Amino acid sequence: MHERAPAADFARRALCHVLPCLIALLASAASASSLAEELAGRCRAWAADPHTPWALAHGMALDGRAFRAKDGRLASDVVVSDFLRVRQQDTRDFFFEPFTAEGTPVEPHPALQAKTLLAAGLPLSHHFTTSFGPVTLRELVAQVKREFRMEQVASPESAWRIDVLSLSARPGDTFRDASGRTVSIDTVMDTALATLESAQAELAAGMKAGRAQVPKQGQGIYSHPCGGLHYFQAVAGWARHPSVRARWRERLATQRDVLLYRLDSEARQYETAWATAPEHREAVLAQMLKFHGHLLETLGRFREDTGWRPTPLQQQTVERARRYLENTVRRMDATGLLSAPASVATRDRQLALDLVGDTCHAARGEALWSQDPARVTRPASPSPPR
């Protein structure tokens, strides 16, 4: 199946003669805005189940602290009040289960909920009500720090944990883990950048050599959840600090360029899979939604965290990613895959969960780059360090 983007570009160039050009551009902008609204509406509807805290976290990824569950409560209150656990009564040893006894995901990735609450804009002083008394976000962050170990930085599952440390600290800060060892946040983040560079080394080599694509075979960054895009966000987010940007400037620019290169490298492989393995098209579409949505979200957060101003060529890559996302959504609509995750869940529960989460990430990514953000609630930016 052919992408619609090249045809749209050709038509736009052909029509660009004053008034016709203006009409074509306005139609393109309207399409992008409607996609942002469509994705945001689906995210808000599908992620609002008060019995699924993992889904609520994805609603907060779009709308921040304002997101509410279907029962009217703030999603942040539902997540903590209903799902936070304490290992022993009268202690402050808190935790979220990875899954409930029924298999509902709560925190399948370590520190996902604390990271979500921080990124949603809640202050560390915010109090939650639980059955075992009031709990502050500061206490939840302190629990993440107590459980931290330096060897965790190299783990593909560490993205959310690293983001918690980044969002709650400033350069030069230290903290103590459960063993009493002093941990330097600068050392953590420098190690994380080196880990990202190593994970993306094969892609960097492909980019430097001018290769059309680097095969995606579960190696390096591809061994991470969501293709390592959460890890990229966690690392690059530390560059919100001017002193970090100054130290990391060239290294971070290289990693950004690798991310931009990755768009077409990976998109080509999905198109090949779509054309040659029709029996797997549903899975391919789901992966395309995950990749294009997360990529736009990651680039958008990179821009907001670092002040990056894309060059015209870089902006073209961003716009191409948006067209790929729209084409993916239209294909999913045509197959009925995005009609209702509840119906998908009857035959593939994990796929249904992925559709909810990845739709929310795609909604946030598209809204971050929309030319008409007034038509859709702008996603929450990570809260400033404090």
Side-chain angles (χ1 to χ4, degrees):
M1 183 174 183
H2 296 292
E3 292 284 357
R4 295 187 298 167
D9 284 344
F10 177 81
R12 189 175 296 116
R13 290 193 299 269
L15 289 171
C16 276
H17 296 288
V18 191
L19 182 59
C21 177
L22 178 61
I23 294 172
L25 291 174
L26 288 174
S28 176
S31 174
S33 293
S34 63
L35 177 64
E37 291 177 313
E38 176 185 339
L39 289 169
R42 285 172 169 170
C43 169
R44 292 173 187 136
W46 297 344
D49 182 357
H51 304 295
T52 310
W54 177 88
L56 293 173
H58 283 82
M60 284 188 277
L62 175 65
D63 286 336
R65 62 193 298 177
F67 186 67
R68 291 183 179 272
K70 289 178 182 177
D71 62 9
R73 291 182 293 164
L74 288 169
S76 56
D77 289 340
V78 177
V79 167
V80 179
S81 297
D82 292 6
F83 295 95
L84 185 66
R85 302 289 181 257
V86 63
R87 288 189 173 85
Q88 292 183 352
Q89 205 66 28
D90 301 324
T91 71
R92 310 304 284 175
D93 190 6
F94 306 117
F95 70 99
F96 289 103
E97 300 170 298
F99 297 87
T100 67
E102 296 74 30
T104 300
V106 179
E107 190 172 76
H109 306 294
L112 178 148
Q113 293 295 355
K115 176 265 180 180
T116 298
L117 297 169
L118 283 170
L122 290 167
L124 290 171
S125 58
H126 185 85
H127 283 76
F128 299 98
T129 300
T130 73
S131 60
F132 40 85
V135 176
T136 65
L137 180 52
R138 180 176 282 105
E139 289 181 285
L140 299 183
V141 170
Q143 184 69 34
V144 173
K145 292 178 177 179
R146 281 195 298 272
E147 295 174 351
F148 177 79
R149 298 291 183 274
M150 275 300 300
E151 56 268 25
Q152 294 169 341
V153 177
S155 167
E157 286 287 345
S158 65
W160 298 265
R161 186 184 284 117
I162 293 171
D163 227 351
V164 168
L165 301 181
S166 170
L167 289 167
S168 62
R170 294 179 182 275
D173 284 357
T174 62
F175 62 90
R176 291 187 182 275
D177 62 23
S179 69
R181 183 183 297 111
T182 298
V183 180
S184 162
I185 184 66
D186 292 321
T187 299
V188 171
M189 299 310 298
D190 285 343
T191 302
L193 175 59
T195 300
L196 178 65
E197 289 171 328
S198 177
Q200 296 208 121
E202 189 172 346
L203 280 162
M207 177 183 71
K208 186 176 181 180
R211 294 168 57 191
Q213 65 188 52
V214 172
K216 180 176 181 284
Q217 298 172 332
Q219 78 281 25
I221 199 70
Y222 292 124
S223 68
H224 289 234
C226 301
L229 293 165
H230 287 291
Y231 198 97
F232 188 105
Q233 291 179 23
V235 174
W238 187 236
R240 72 177 61 86
H241 301 285
S243 62
V244 176
R245 286 199 298 278
R247 286 196 304 113
W248 284 8
R249 188 177 307 279
E250 292 185 6
R251 295 171 69 188
L252 195 60
T254 297
Q255 296 311 301
R256 176 206 62 211
D257 291 346
V258 170
L259 193 62
L260 292 166
Y261 163 77
R262 183 176 165 183
L263 171 66
D264 291 321
S265 170
E266 198 158 332
R268 287 186 181 94
Q269 294 172 73
Y270 292 136
E271 288 303 321
T272 297
W274 171 271
T276 61
E279 70 277 17
H280 297 303
R281 281 184 172 177
E282 191 172 80
V284 171
L285 284 174
Q287 189 61 37
M288 291 166 71
L289 177 69
K290 182 185 294 292
F291 173 61
H292 294 132
H294 277 79
L295 182 74
L296 285 167
E297 178 188 56
T298 302
L299 291 170
R301 180 172 167 183
F302 182 84
R303 181 188 59 185
E304 299 205 339
D305 281 340
T306 69
W308 170 51
R309 295 183 179 180
T311 65
L313 188 60
Q314 290 170 339
Q315 187 64 40
Q316 288 177 24
T317 302
V318 171
E319 295 306 315
R320 194 158 61 252
R322 295 177 70 196
R323 293 196 298 270
Y324 288 162
L325 174 62
E326 182 171 16
N327 189 63
T328 297
V329 171
R330 297 304 161 229
R331 286 174 172 178
M332 297 178 88
D333 282 338
T335 62
L337 190 55
L338 276 184
S339 59
S343 64
V344 176
T346 61
R347 55 185 174 78
D348 192 331
R349 189 183 186 201
Q350 185 57 54
L351 176 59
L353 288 168
D354 286 345
L355 291 176
V356 173
D358 293 336
T359 296
C360 289
H361 285 297
R364 183 172 190 253
E366 173 61 22
L368 281 168
W369 292 101
S370 174
Q371 299 302 306
D372 187 13
R375 294 187 61 186
V376 62
T377 302
R378 190 166 178 79
S381 297
S383 52
R386 63 237 86 170

